Amino acid sequence: MDYQFKEIERKWQQFWAGHQTFKADNNSSKPKYYVLDMFPYPSGAGLHVGHPLGYIASDIFARYKRLKGFNVLHPMGYDSFGLPAEQYAIQTGQHPAITTETNINTYRRQLDQIGFSFDWSREVRTSSPDFYKWTQWIFMQLFNSWYNKAADKAESIEKLVKHFETNGSAGIDAVCDEDILSFTAADWKAMSNHQQQEELLKYRLTYLRESTVNWCPALGTVLANDEVKDGFSERGGYPVEQKKMMQWSMRITAYAERLLQGLDTIDWPEPLKEMQRNWIGKSIGASVKFRIAKGQMRNEEDKNSAIGIPASDFIEVFTTRVDTIFGVTFMVIAPEHELVPFLTTPEQKAEIDAYIAQTKKKSELDRMADAKTVSGAFTGSYVINPVNNEKVPIYIADYVLAGYGTGAVMAVPSGDQRDYLFAKHFDLPIVPIIDIQKIETEADPTKEGRYINSDFMNGLNYKEGTAKVIEFLEQKGVGKAKVNYRMRDAIFGRQRYWGEPVPVYFKDDLPHLIDEKDLPLLLPEIDKYLPTETGEPPLGRAHGWSYKPHPNPPREGGLPAHEAGSYRETADPVYYEQLKDFSRENRKQPTEAENILWQLLRKDQTGYKIRRQHAIGQFIADFVSLQKGLIIEIDGHHHKLNKEADDARTEILNHLGFEVIRFTNDEVLESPQGTFEIIKQKLNALPERDKSLFTGEAALSNGKVSPTGGDLEGAEAGFEYELSTMPGWAGSSWYWYRYMDAHNDKEFASKKAIEYWKDVDLYIGGSEHATGHLLYSRFWNKFLVDMGWAFEEEPFKKLINQGHIQGISEKIYRTRGIGNMMWYPGNSQPIYNPTPDGEVYIIFYSADFARESSELQLLNLPIGFCENSKLHIDKYLDWAGLKIDDVIFVTKDSFLFKGQWFEKNKDQIDLSYSPVTSNKPFFTKPEVEKMSKSKWNVVNPDDIIARHGADTLRMYEMFLGPLEQSKPWNTNGIEGVFKFLRKFWKLFHDDQFNFRVSDEAPSKAELKSLHKIIRKVEEDIERFSFNTSVSSFMIAVNELTDLKCNKRAILHDLVIVLSPYAPHISEELWELLGNKAGSLSYAPYPKFNPEYLVEDDFAYPISINGKMKLNLNISLALEPADIEKFVLESPDVQKYLDGKTPKKVIVVKGRIVNIVI
RNA sequence: GCUCGGGUGGUGGAACUGGUAGACACGCAGGACUUAAAAUCCUGUGAUCCUAAAAGAUCGUGCGGGUUCGAUUCCCGCCCCGAGUACCA
């Protein structure tokens, strides 16, 4: 048989799953190797060809490491909390858990068919309670910790309390809020518990603080920074406002220095490290206090006014050029600076107020656009320069940012360009302070030269001067050397539903952690995924969402009380309807086991009415008897690997008053009758249920499942839970530890497991996580290390950024006038002559394989699509200077019209028209951009696999180019890879496709080919150059085909070498070669023997004056002098010499001969 | 503006620390096998010039210089593309 990839791939994928071939062992004498992929968010669009790029690379690496004798941990999971599912829920009412589950199933199916060697027994989902239990737990540990600067690590808050009790606040050097109190031990003891807790909150690593959030009134939610583009929501394009809220924050700034230093110890791409360095933004300089000139502050008369008393009588600035302090001629503070009201004199009040009003109006966008125009206002007050006691005026200006440093700068116009422009604008003096400064037209920030006009610094150089002035300021007590970081503490909360609940409740306005044994704090069911009418987060809708600190003792075996309410209680009506739709669909497609069992359970053969695929609470039960309250679940293979999740589900169903029995698919298939008997017995044994429970009449407000596991009296305790949920990065900040010990219900991962696996040896993922996930993960990791639960200061030793596979969007433009717009293939710019009433239509279509499926998708456009696209289109309107009145969707061969324009014009449209070949007035412009569902340029791997198989997809994705490089997707070369695999298959078969290998001893040439590839693949994999290995495989197979080699000795090793890249075909041939099925994954990688590559002679390239002219075969044994002699005597070379004597001859042994004439 | 990448045939891309530029594929052209098509196989394929042909010559890795026997690779200046970031004191 010819190469039958479909059967082969199915066969081996089943084999690997069935035999758990890639299950990693936590106890192994082999050296460990941890290969990790950034786990995906399971979006509704499924995988596109860009996703697997990194997974394929890591899989090749993992498989290669197994061959090299490592115990490899190569897991996969889902970052399954997130916004899209929630947004979808808001629109459709479908529970995010359902969307997520559906999407995960799609992902899993798609991943499975690519043949990854993941250890699925360790799968994690951040949205599953047994995972987020530990996310919540780590949050609690952070809450219970503070950062001791003296020890340079996080420590338990109890230790801090002890210190306060014995020494008060003296001697504590902590990373904390600025407004901490100074107190003695006696003061501390005198404080109320409430006061003490308030004080401690200023030290905790997670703490509450008032922060600004992006509030989108139209969507009714808070948005993350990356969901806001230019002041509008990315989704929908609605305006976003800044709103102040109490928010949970993480004191990541405590780790700024360690996060920065750690970068030097890890093998990450330089650009990525650079991004983190910039984000942390360390600058070394000094802080200086400028005393406010007496008599200038309004507070002299306003002391008892409503505004209150200013916090200080000086303004502190941060500067990186404290050496230029003698050049200070004015000071600028941010318009938002807290002292502005006190500094503004009555004469200046109008001007200042006007300026502040103007600033407030400006959006971020305007502010950026105005960057070059100078604006500001004088407060009327002055500060005293501490080095020369000169009085300098204080201005406000929006070029000074309230959020950086102290929100105030000392202006040195001679050295800083912005200060220079400001001084020119307001006619302020510019004083040169360095002898070589040239400041006629612009500021000169030089550090060279000697100081002038600088009193005690005159004549010194930069280094001396800086030291001297800091010494002077420190002596006077008005300044000191200081390191400033740009990084801010991270906001750790979103006013959203689909995230981890924060395990905190409020009592007397103070946050308290819930009891650790009440974890996980389950996400409650709510009726709508929107904020409450009073503007509280969605969790505010949950009934009974309050905490009783000491819940009921654990249940003893039996069922919980049945009186809890209707089994429909946890579902809101919309969602419940949705579930019912799902179950109807499910009923149409029963699995084999379900079907067999249904034949037995239907028709009242049990004596009870059994329903199948019935919606219960938030789940769909496979079979249920409502009368007896029994649920029968049939678990597929996949479920076995997710026992924890099933247990959680069982528990919830139990709580709703149902008993759950489970059978596996295999059990049912093996013994349907036996299964039936068990069910029947169970039904008979159970008591009759109270019918009123199942009428669904029970009011929805009757109370929901309490997060504490069965106790509905929590509401009475009256302690309200925190209503925000954790941000998207919470779960991903520690998940790699969970893979080490994925089913541990005592710890997030056992110490033993963490000691064994330690850290991630190779991490592959996109660079878009540079300043998010990758920074937060390092932060949490350092915290876990500080607390002694993890052991490696850096979690990801080596990191590779895979490039993005981009999509090609073909955009088609059209005028209403005929013939004045043309498209020329190959022209990078379309030629465009707009008509007076010119209108343009922009169309997206997907290239290649996605075409057919896109067409179908296009016909079922979701509402909101047009709106979404219009945002995208706006850019082109600007470019073309046109207005749009509609959007057309098109594929290569036909148009699909949608929208008003189509409705108006459909009679006149020739639907057979092809824009690509026609010279009608359309033109297209292909554009490379991110592959994304919203751009309709997604190419799906399923199509490729159907046509050419997973092995071809794997090799082709690698063959496309260097892993780290972004590239547009095209399938131009895929035939070449497919042909290669067929050629490889044919090496093992005769012309009739009978398997035929020879046991003859291999020839020298064959061994040479083999050992070349053995070495090449080793080298390439170690440096992540997968594309070049694919080329080398092709060369090797071409060579062996030419040699007609079907020798077992060669092919055996070749199969091993190829197997990481094309595992399915390799496994099949491995088995055909007579090896034990499945043993290939752990076969030893062949040993490279350099002897086979040794050559006797070499075709030396001979260059004349550096230009290659000819090759001469010369023995490699010859030394340079002999080579030179041989070459010069050669008649071919003589011809070039033309009787002249060469000036010089360069001979590099084994490389080249160059003759200079 | 700043920081970091990157510019090599018609295309994707090779070329290890300076040593035969264009590996390997795709595409294209021609041929073989076929009634035909598909599949497969063979040959050619950077540009220009020259030759009946063989052979040969010149130019070629964004542009301009430099170092070197020799530069895609190293150095200086510039242009273009991509990514990140931005009034950061």
Side-chain angles (χ1 to χ4, degrees), chain A residues 23 570 767 798:
Chain A
K23 199 164 162 30
T570 55
S767 57
K798 177 164 181 68

Side-chain angles (χ1 to χ4, degrees), chain A residues 87 130 230 280 364 373 376 379 383 494 519 542 636 638 739 766 771 806 873 923 927 963 1007:
Chain A
Q87 205 60 37
D130 62 301
D230 303 333
I280 296 166
E364 279 300 304
T373 55
T379 60
V383 284
R494 302 174 319 157
L519 291 176
H638 174 65
Y739 285 132
T771 52
Q806 295 149 319
I873 285 159
F923 68 88
E927 198 154 297
L963 178 65
L1007 284 167

Side-chain angles (χ1 to χ4, degrees), chain A residues 965-981:
Chain A
Q965 194 174 305
S966 290
K967 52 235 159 190
W969 175 258
N970 70 74
T971 47
N972 293 345
I974 201 159
E975 288 296 333
V977 173
F978 186 59
K979 269 193 259 183
F980 156 76
L981 286 173

Side-chain angles (χ1 to χ4, degrees), chain A residues 368-409:
Chain A
M368 264 152 67
D370 286 354
K372 272 157 207 90
T373 55
V374 177
S375 70
F378 178 43
T379 60
S381 293
Y382 295 83
V383 284
I384 307 291
N385 188 337
V387 290
N388 56 12
N389 292 319
E390 271 178 31
K391 221 168 115 176
V392 297
I394 307 166
Y395 281 76
I396 64 169
D398 63 4
Y399 82 81
V400 175
L401 305 174
Y404 182 75
T406 59
V409 298

Side-chain angles (χ1 to χ4, degrees), chain A residues 799-1020:
Chain A
L799 186 130
I800 301 270
N801 283 134
Q802 95 267 20
H804 288 279
I805 291 201
Q806 295 149 319
I808 297 174
S809 311
E810 196 85 15
K811 298 182 178 163
I812 302 197
Y813 303 80
R814 174 188 182 273
T815 54
R816 195 151 280 181
I818 299 287
N820 53 6
M821 192 182 273
M822 299 290 283
W823 175 62
Y824 297 102
N827 248 20
S828 59
Q829 281 292 316
I831 295 171
Y832 179 64
N833 298 303
T835 54
D837 60 328
E839 287 166 60
V840 78
Y841 298 87
I842 300 166
I843 303 95
F844 307 94
Y845 76 85
S846 320
D848 293 318
F849 293 119
R851 220 169 71 208
E852 294 92 318
S853 50
S854 306
E855 266 176 56
L856 295 175
Q857 286 171 338
L858 288 166
L859 288 168
N860 291 308
L861 283 175
I863 301 160
F865 172 74
C866 292
E867 190 181 1
N868 215 341
S869 299
K870 273 192 175 162
L871 276 179
H872 192 70
I873 285 159
D874 282 343
K875 285 181 220 151
Y876 291 90
L877 294 178
D878 279 355
W879 167 77
L882 291 170
K883 73 179 175 70
I884 184 168
D885 83 352
D886 225 320
V887 184
I888 304 169
F889 304 97
V890 72
T891 69
K892 243 178 196 151
D893 306 315
S894 65
F895 281 116
L896 289 167
F897 295 92
K898 188 106 184 163
Q900 297 165 355
W901 186 86
F902 175 58
E903 291 307 316
K904 271 186 279 170
N905 297 280
K906 54 184 165 193
D907 299 339
Q908 290 131 57
I909 293 164
D910 173 10
L911 287 170
S912 63
Y913 168 79
S914 164
V916 178
T917 54
S918 165
N919 60 2
K920 284 188 183 177
F922 289 85
F923 68 88
T924 70
K925 193 179 162 211
E927 198 154 297
V928 173
E929 46 183 17
K930 202 178 151 193
M931 198 173 271
S932 141
K933 197 185 176 188
S934 65
K935 297 187 166 103
W936 298 94
N937 59 2
V938 170
V939 185
N940 176 300
D942 298 12
D943 304 319
I944 312 260
I945 290 171
R947 266 172 225 226
H948 297 291
D951 283 339
T952 300
L953 175 76
R954 290 169 66 106
M955 291 198 87
Y956 183 61
E957 290 221 10
M958 293 298 101
F959 189 59
L960 271 175
L963 178 65
E964 306 198 50
Q965 194 174 305
S966 290
K967 52 235 159 190
W969 175 258
N970 70 74
T971 47
N972 293 345
I974 201 159
E975 288 296 333
V977 173
F978 186 59
K979 269 193 259 183
F980 156 76
L981 286 173
R982 294 185 54 177
K983 220 164 161 179
F984 180 67
W985 180 259
K986 278 174 79 172
L987 277 181
F988 297 73
H989 294 81
D990 62 21
D991 292 343
Q992 282 73 49
F993 289 107
N994 299 305
F995 182 77
R996 181 156 298 164
V997 292
S998 129
D999 286 318
E1000 274 174 63
S1003 72
K1004 211 182 153 192
E1006 290 163 346
L1007 284 167
K1008 188 179 164 189
S1009 281
L1010 174 68
H1011 282 262
K1012 265 196 321 200
I1013 190 76
I1014 292 173
R1015 182 181 59 179
K1016 178 75 175 152
V1017 167
E1018 254 178 325
E1019 285 172 357
D1020 285 351

Side-chain angles (χ1 to χ4, degrees), chain A residues 35-42 47-63 74-78 107 110-111 114-118 120 764-766 802 954 957-958 963 1060:
Chain A
V35 184
L36 183 64
D37 292 286
M38 289 185 187
F39 61 167
Y41 172 78
L47 284 180
H48 63 64
V49 289
H51 287 112
L53 184 70
Y55 304 157
I56 293 169
S58 67
D59 194 60
I60 290 171
F61 206 87
R63 285 175 180 272
H74 185 40
M76 183 47 83
Y78 307 96
Y107 267 64
Q110 289 184 304
L111 289 171
I114 303 174
F116 292 122
S117 65
F118 294 129
W120 283 109
I764 296 189
Q802 95 267 20
R954 290 169 66 106
E957 290 221 10
M958 293 298 101
L963 178 65

Side-chain angles (χ1 to χ4, degrees), chain A residues 306-327:
Chain A
I307 309 170
I309 304 162
S312 56
D313 60 355
F314 56 84
I315 297 174
E316 190 169 13
V317 300
F318 175 75
T319 175
T320 52
R321 288 297 302 274
V322 68
D323 59 302
T324 63
I325 192 163
F326 282 96

Side-chain angles (χ1 to χ4, degrees), chain A residues 558-621:
Chain A
L559 288 171
H562 283 174
E563 302 78 56
S566 161
Y567 70 88
R568 297 182 186 175
E569 66 178 336
T570 55
D572 71 77
V574 178
Y575 165 54
Y576 194 72
E577 285 311 307
Q578 192 103 32
L579 254 192
K580 288 210 293 201
D581 285 348
F582 268 89
S583 38
R584 247 172 252 130
E585 281 307 304
N586 285 355
R587 258 169 243 154
K588 286 181 202 156
Q589 300 163 337
T591 65
E592 204 188 334
E594 278 169 20
N595 205 28
I596 290 178
L597 198 55
W598 178 236
Q599 299 312 321
L600 294 167
L601 291 175
R602 69 194 305 187
K603 298 179 213 145
D604 297 334
Q605 291 178 48
T606 52
Y608 302 98
K609 181 166 173 58
I610 305 287
R611 295 158 203 261
R612 62 176 174 143
Q613 297 299 330
H614 194 77
I616 304 285
Q618 56 180 309
F619 305 112
I620 297 174

